[in-house]
PDB file of all heavy atoms in Angstrom:
ATOM      1  N   THR A 655     100.830 265.490  -2.749  1.00  0.00           N
ATOM      2  CA  THR A 655     100.206 265.184  -4.036  1.00  0.00           C
ATOM      3  C   THR A 655      99.510 266.424  -4.590  1.00  0.00           C
ATOM      4  O   THR A 655      99.603 266.722  -5.782  1.00  0.00           O
ATOM      5  CB  THR A 655      99.184 264.037  -3.861  1.00  0.00           C
ATOM      6  OG1 THR A 655      99.854 262.952  -3.227  1.00  0.00           O
ATOM      7  CG2 THR A 655      98.630 263.570  -5.181  1.00  0.00           C
ATOM      8  N   LEU A 656      98.854 267.165  -3.722  1.00  0.00           N
ATOM      9  CA  LEU A 656      98.144 268.368  -4.184  1.00  0.00           C
ATOM     10  C   LEU A 656      99.103 269.473  -4.583  1.00  0.00           C
ATOM     11  O   LEU A 656      98.786 270.297  -5.432  1.00  0.00           O
ATOM     12  CB  LEU A 656      97.202 268.871  -3.075  1.00  0.00           C
ATOM     13  CG  LEU A 656      95.986 267.976  -2.835  1.00  0.00           C
ATOM     14  CD1 LEU A 656      95.319 268.295  -1.512  1.00  0.00           C
ATOM     15  CD2 LEU A 656      94.984 268.123  -3.977  1.00  0.00           C
ATOM     16  N   THR A 657     100.284 269.494  -3.979  1.00  0.00           N
ATOM     17  CA  THR A 657     101.229 270.562  -4.310  1.00  0.00           C
ATOM     18  C   THR A 657     102.282 270.105  -5.322  1.00  0.00           C
ATOM     19  O   THR A 657     103.173 270.872  -5.652  1.00  0.00           O
ATOM     20  CB  THR A 657     101.945 271.087  -3.048  1.00  0.00           C
ATOM     21  OG1 THR A 657     102.589 269.994  -2.399  1.00  0.00           O
ATOM     22  CG2 THR A 657     100.994 271.751  -2.089  1.00  0.00           C
ATOM     23  N   HIS A 658     102.196 268.888  -5.776  1.00  0.00           N
ATOM     24  CA  HIS A 658     103.154 268.370  -6.761  1.00  0.00           C
ATOM     25  C   HIS A 658     104.586 268.526  -6.269  1.00  0.00           C
ATOM     26  O   HIS A 658     105.498 268.788  -7.029  1.00  0.00           O
ATOM     27  CB  HIS A 658     103.045 269.099  -8.112  1.00  0.00           C
ATOM     28  CG  HIS A 658     101.684 269.032  -8.685  1.00  0.00           C
ATOM     29  ND1 HIS A 658     101.289 268.058  -9.557  1.00  0.00           N
ATOM     30  CD2 HIS A 658     100.606 269.818  -8.495  1.00  0.00           C
ATOM     31  CE1 HIS A 658     100.015 268.245  -9.878  1.00  0.00           C
ATOM     32  NE2 HIS A 658      99.600 269.296  -9.252  1.00  0.00           N
ATOM     33  N   ALA A 659     104.782 268.423  -5.002  1.00  0.00           N
ATOM     34  CA  ALA A 659     106.127 268.605  -4.466  1.00  0.00           C
ATOM     35  C   ALA A 659     106.286 267.681  -3.274  1.00  0.00           C
ATOM     36  O   ALA A 659     105.324 267.090  -2.809  1.00  0.00           O
ATOM     37  CB  ALA A 659     106.314 270.042  -4.026  1.00  0.00           C
ATOM     38  N   SER A 660     107.500 267.554  -2.807  1.00  0.00           N
ATOM     39  CA  SER A 660     107.682 266.785  -1.585  1.00  0.00           C
ATOM     40  C   SER A 660     107.937 267.756  -0.452  1.00  0.00           C
ATOM     41  O   SER A 660     108.973 267.740   0.182  1.00  0.00           O
ATOM     42  CB  SER A 660     108.830 265.799  -1.730  1.00  0.00           C
ATOM     43  OG  SER A 660     108.498 264.878  -2.720  1.00  0.00           O
ATOM     44  N   LEU A 661     106.983 268.629  -0.246  1.00  0.00           N
ATOM     45  CA  LEU A 661     107.141 269.664   0.768  1.00  0.00           C
ATOM     46  C   LEU A 661     107.001 269.083   2.168  1.00  0.00           C
ATOM     47  O   LEU A 661     107.763 269.377   3.065  1.00  0.00           O
ATOM     48  CB  LEU A 661     106.082 270.749   0.567  1.00  0.00           C
ATOM     49  CG  LEU A 661     106.228 271.618  -0.685  1.00  0.00           C
ATOM     50  CD1 LEU A 661     105.009 272.507  -0.826  1.00  0.00           C
ATOM     51  CD2 LEU A 661     107.484 272.469  -0.595  1.00  0.00           C
ATOM     52  N   ALA A 662     105.968 268.253   2.332  1.00  0.00           N
ATOM     53  CA  ALA A 662     105.681 267.702   3.654  1.00  0.00           C
ATOM     54  C   ALA A 662     106.370 266.357   3.792  1.00  0.00           C
ATOM     55  O   ALA A 662     106.417 265.575   2.856  1.00  0.00           O
ATOM     56  CB  ALA A 662     104.175 267.556   3.827  1.00  0.00           C
ATOM     57  N   ARG A 663     106.930 266.096   4.952  1.00  0.00           N
ATOM     58  CA  ARG A 663     107.619 264.823   5.158  1.00  0.00           C
ATOM     59  C   ARG A 663     106.619 263.733   5.442  1.00  0.00           C
ATOM     60  O   ARG A 663     105.764 263.860   6.296  1.00  0.00           O
ATOM     61  CB  ARG A 663     108.595 264.957   6.330  1.00  0.00           C
ATOM     62  CG  ARG A 663     109.805 265.778   5.971  1.00  0.00           C
ATOM     63  CD  ARG A 663     110.629 266.041   7.199  1.00  0.00           C
ATOM     64  NE  ARG A 663     111.451 264.899   7.515  1.00  0.00           N
ATOM     65  CZ  ARG A 663     112.283 264.891   8.548  1.00  0.00           C
ATOM     66  NH1 ARG A 663     112.360 265.937   9.347  1.00  0.00           N
ATOM     67  NH2 ARG A 663     113.027 263.850   8.784  1.00  0.00           N
ATOM     68  N   THR A 664     106.747 262.633   4.700  1.00  0.00           N
ATOM     69  CA  THR A 664     105.856 261.496   4.949  1.00  0.00           C
ATOM     70  C   THR A 664     106.681 260.413   5.620  1.00  0.00           C
ATOM     71  O   THR A 664     107.904 260.426   5.562  1.00  0.00           O
ATOM     72  CB  THR A 664     105.289 260.932   3.641  1.00  0.00           C
ATOM     73  OG1 THR A 664     106.372 260.481   2.833  1.00  0.00           O
ATOM     74  CG2 THR A 664     104.503 261.974   2.884  1.00  0.00           C
ATOM     75  N   SER A 665     105.995 259.492   6.255  1.00  0.00           N
ATOM     76  CA  SER A 665     106.745 258.479   6.976  1.00  0.00           C
ATOM     77  C   SER A 665     105.930 257.232   7.219  1.00  0.00           C
ATOM     78  O   SER A 665     104.708 257.284   7.323  1.00  0.00           O
ATOM     79  CB  SER A 665     107.175 259.050   8.328  1.00  0.00           C
ATOM     80  OG  SER A 665     107.743 258.049   9.103  1.00  0.00           O
ATOM     81  N   LYS A 666     106.635 256.110   7.300  1.00  0.00           N
ATOM     82  CA  LYS A 666     105.976 254.864   7.674  1.00  0.00           C
ATOM     83  C   LYS A 666     105.777 254.838   9.184  1.00  0.00           C
ATOM     84  O   LYS A 666     105.048 254.023   9.715  1.00  0.00           O
ATOM     85  CB  LYS A 666     106.822 253.669   7.243  1.00  0.00           C
ATOM     86  CG  LYS A 666     106.863 253.499   5.734  1.00  0.00           C
ATOM     87  CD  LYS A 666     107.220 252.059   5.372  1.00  0.00           C
ATOM     88  CE  LYS A 666     107.536 251.887   3.899  1.00  0.00           C
ATOM     89  NZ  LYS A 666     106.604 252.540   2.988  1.00  0.00           N
ATOM     90  N   THR A 667     106.482 255.697   9.893  1.00  0.00           N
ATOM     91  CA  THR A 667     106.353 255.748  11.350  1.00  0.00           C
ATOM     92  C   THR A 667     105.305 256.787  11.726  1.00  0.00           C
ATOM     93  O   THR A 667     105.515 257.974  11.501  1.00  0.00           O
ATOM     94  CB  THR A 667     107.691 256.187  11.989  1.00  0.00           C
ATOM     95  OG1 THR A 667     108.734 255.503  11.327  1.00  0.00           O
ATOM     96  CG2 THR A 667     107.706 255.923  13.466  1.00  0.00           C
ATOM     97  N   PRO A 668     104.173 256.356  12.278  1.00  0.00           N
ATOM     98  CA  PRO A 668     103.147 257.334  12.625  1.00  0.00           C
ATOM     99  C   PRO A 668     103.686 258.338  13.641  1.00  0.00           C
ATOM    100  O   PRO A 668     104.546 258.010  14.448  1.00  0.00           O
ATOM    101  CB  PRO A 668     102.034 256.493  13.246  1.00  0.00           C
ATOM    102  CG  PRO A 668     102.284 255.106  12.794  1.00  0.00           C
ATOM    103  CD  PRO A 668     103.769 254.987  12.610  1.00  0.00           C
TER     104      PRO A 668
END
Side-chain angles (χ1 to χ4, degrees):
T655 307
L656 289 164
T657 56
H658 303 268
S660 296
L661 291 172
R663 287 172 80 179
T664 61
S665 172
K666 290 202 191 315
T667 317

